[in-house]
Amino acid sequence: AQSVTQPDIHITVSEGASLELRCNYSYGATPYLFWYVQSPGQGLQLLLKYFSGDTLVQGIKGFEAEFKRSQSSFNLRKPSVHWSDAAEYFCAVGEITGNQFYFGTGTSLTVIP
Amino acid sequence: KAGVTQTPRYLIKTRGQQVTLSCSPISGHRSVSWYQQTPGQGLQFLFEYFSETQRNKGNFPGRFSGRQFSNSRSEMNVSTLELGDSALYLCASSKRLAVADTQYFGPGTRLTVL
């Protein structure tokens, strides 16, 4: 069965520091991969997505993610974190055949000044 | 253009009651998906509607149901509420069926079951 694992429940970084949020997936075929961000009291906003092609994907707000098939990973990165990046981040896999999404349990990011 | 709207934003019910949540997608979007978000389980897919037809359903009991109207607006209904149904219910819309298309999420309806 398809699954998404975000090993880090909570991460704290200093403003200006780099960030990497981990995501591992289990899926038989080439997956559609997504990263979403959720601010308190808000719905989810798409940061970036990977369907095929270049394995390094650029998204909004300065985020990028790299698809590594050999590691079944799709980690999210940002070179310099801003206080406004504090939020919950979700990785998701889209199952093409069943047209269904599977979300990880999320990583909560705290940014300290 | 206006985003996905969900009503009501907050709801308090007691066990055994039923509840109906509403979702209005972005204009021109024909797909609406519903998710349940809880602290322990994260986001879990409930169902997806496209052109008034349920196209996919997650692993939830039959107490959870939904429908979509000709204007793409969608409702979900939960009957015989249980304490464990307390959650944030999110609706997302997309132009086409969801996986190949960008989903836009609403702010959610916070349901509390007492």
Side-chain angles (χ1 to χ4, degrees):
Chain A
Q2 294 77 3
S3 66
V4 180
T5 303
Q6 294 181 247
D8 304 306
I9 296 173
H10 185 247
I11 284 182
T12 300
V13 299
S14 298
E15 191 168 16
S18 63
L19 172 71
E20 182 168 27
L21 302 182
R22 296 183 291 166
C23 173
N24 294 97
Y25 65 89
S26 171
Y27 186 64
T30 300
Y32 286 3
L33 296 163
F34 306 80
W35 274 100
Y36 287 87
V37 60
Q38 184 179 34
S39 298
Q42 303 294 317
L44 277 69
Q45 181 184 21
L46 179 68
L47 286 174
L48 47 78
K49 60 186 177 183
Y50 171 79
F51 286 176
S52 64
D54 192 348
T55 57
L56 185 62
V57 181
Q58 302 297 321
I60 62 171
K61 305 185 179 186
F63 286 92
E64 66 178 26
E66 186 171 12
F67 169 58
K68 292 186 178 180
R69 184 188 303 275
S70 61
Q71 299 177 19
S72 297
S73 69
F74 189 57
N75 293 349
L76 182 70
R77 301 194 294 249
K78 186 169 185 178
S80 178
V81 171
H82 188 263
W83 63 266
S84 61
D85 293 325
E88 188 94 17
Y89 291 80
F90 293 91
C91 180
V93 168
E95 180 192 70
I96 300 166
T97 52
N99 194 54
Q100 186 170 139
F101 283 93
Y102 298 88
F103 282 82
T105 50
T107 297
S108 176
L109 175 65
T110 297
V111 180
I112 56 177
Chain B
K1 54 185 173 183
V4 178
T5 58
Q6 293 187 245
T7 56
R9 291 293 310 277
Y10 302 91
L11 208 47
I12 299 175
K13 293 286 188 178
T14 56
R15 280 182 300 173
Q17 288 186 309
Q18 75 165 15
V19 66
T20 299
L21 312 181
S22 181
C23 172
S24 293
I26 291 172
S27 178
H29 286 194
R30 296 168 63 192
S31 170
V32 173
S33 299
W34 288 90
Y35 296 86
Q36 181 194 66
Q37 184 178 16
T38 57
Q41 300 293 320
L43 277 93
Q44 293 186 286
F45 172 77
L46 280 157
F47 26 65
E48 178 179 20
Y49 286 87
F50 183 81
S51 295
E52 302 178 64
T53 302
Q54 186 179 92
R55 300 298 176 135
N56 208 348
K57 182 171 169 46
N59 190 25
F60 278 81
R63 301 186 296 108
F64 291 81
S65 63
R67 59 178 175 170
Q68 186 180 34
F69 302 95
S70 59
N71 62 358
S72 295
R73 189 178 70 85
S74 177
E75 291 181 345
M76 67 163 281
N77 184 277
V78 188
S79 62
T80 320
L81 284 166
E82 301 177 358
L83 295 178
D85 297 333
S86 294
L88 180 67
Y89 289 88
L90 292 166
C91 160
S93 77
S94 57
K95 288 183 181 178
R96 303 168 293 169
L97 288 172
V99 170
D101 209 3
T102 298
Q103 289 194 104
Y104 295 85
F105 282 79
T109 294
R110 173 74 63 184
L111 172 64
T112 301
V113 182
L114 303 176

